[in-house]
Amino acid sequence: MLQFILASQSPRRQQLLRQIGIADFEIIVPDADETYDPALSPEQIVSSISRKKAEAVRPLAKDALVIAADTMVFLDGLRLGKPKTQEEAREMLTALSGRTHHVCTGVTVCRGPQVFTESETTSVTFRPLTGWEIARYVLTGEPMDKAGSYGVQGLGALFVEHIDGDYFNVMGLPLCRLGRMLKRFGVDPFFREEDQ
């Protein structure tokens, strides 16, 4: 039976893998260099980092299939990372208020010598937010471990007016794209062993 390794400690990515029927996987947190050339495009940045994560785990994988991803939020081409303080979270949410930003995820899937890397970009538009809403949201603690200071799968959904693209990409793993990539390795989530 094919073994899977998720090169991520993200609980959201774990949840999304289970959602498409990959319930049995090992988690190995990659020790990868996540620096990048700022001259690269957002898609190139997340692709290169997801590949570094996969390559860091690959020597431990033996014959397992490794799935790695890296998600970043960009506003006007500038990266919005995870906030270090509540004030930083408030500043990010204020900047996102009433505007459209982009969520980019690089995905790398590898097994043995085969390595495939792709990227997905989703446009997210926030409705105008009041200072009170931003302050109350930051006090929930939800923004503090999330790029861009919000979680679309949580209370942050109340801010999202429009999404153009893959919703699951905003959570951290573009499932439609991942499904197509897995098929290159003969993995079809619709197929079950009991169907043999």
Side-chain angles (χ1 to χ4, degrees):
M1 180 189 291
L2 179 60
Q3 302 296 310
F4 294 89
I5 293 173
L6 176 62
S8 173
Q9 62 184 351
S10 163
R12 291 167 290 281
R13 291 193 181 117
Q14 296 169 36
Q15 171 195 340
L16 290 172
L17 270 191
R18 293 186 183 102
Q19 181 173 323
I20 60 169
I22 301 174
D24 187 17
F25 53 87
E26 182 182 357
I27 297 167
I28 300 180
V29 180
D31 181 15
D33 174 17
E34 296 190 29
T35 58
Y36 58 87
D37 181 350
L40 296 175
S41 70
E43 291 80 8
Q44 290 171 322
I45 291 169
V46 293
S47 293
S48 67
I49 294 177
S50 78
R51 196 172 185 104
K52 287 179 185 178
K53 289 179 177 180
E55 294 290 357
V57 170
R58 201 167 163 196
L60 309 171
K62 297 182 182 176
D63 198 38
L65 188 147
V66 176
I67 299 169
D70 189 73
T71 301
M72 293 185 182
V73 175
F74 293 88
L75 179 66
D76 297 332
L78 298 175
R79 178 188 174 193
L80 300 182
K82 296 177 182 178
K84 296 181 177 66
T85 64
Q86 288 189 346
E87 179 57 32
E88 209 172 282
R90 285 191 292 270
E91 288 172 1
M92 283 190 208
L93 291 163
T94 300
L96 294 173
S97 174
R99 304 191 59 204
T100 298
H101 61 276
H102 299 92
V103 180
C104 301
T105 301
V107 181
T108 298
V109 181
C110 65
R111 185 185 185 202
Q114 279 192 300
V115 184
F116 296 101
T117 301
E118 297 183 13
S119 67
E120 186 78 30
T121 299
T122 303
S123 299
V124 181
T125 302
F126 270 23
R127 64 173 174 80
L129 310 179
T130 68
W132 185 87
E133 288 175 314
I134 290 171
R136 295 300 296 176
Y137 181 53
V138 170
L139 285 176
T140 69
E142 185 176 283
M144 300 313 295
D145 68 336
K146 296 173 180 66
S149 299
Y150 75 97
V152 72
Q153 72 285 352
L155 280 171
L158 296 170
F159 300 154
V160 177
E161 190 170 66
H162 181 76
I163 291 180
D164 185 10
D166 187 332
Y167 166 81
F168 301 103
N169 182 45
V170 186
M171 285 182 67
L173 197 60
L175 294 183
C176 183
R177 182 171 295 278
L178 176 61
R180 291 197 299 264
M181 294 174 76
L182 290 174
K183 283 188 176 181
R184 295 183 181 183
F185 294 86
V187 177
D188 187 341
F190 289 109
F191 181 82
R192 294 288 182 268
E193 288 190 357
E194 57 267 24
D195 296 331
Q196 291 185 12

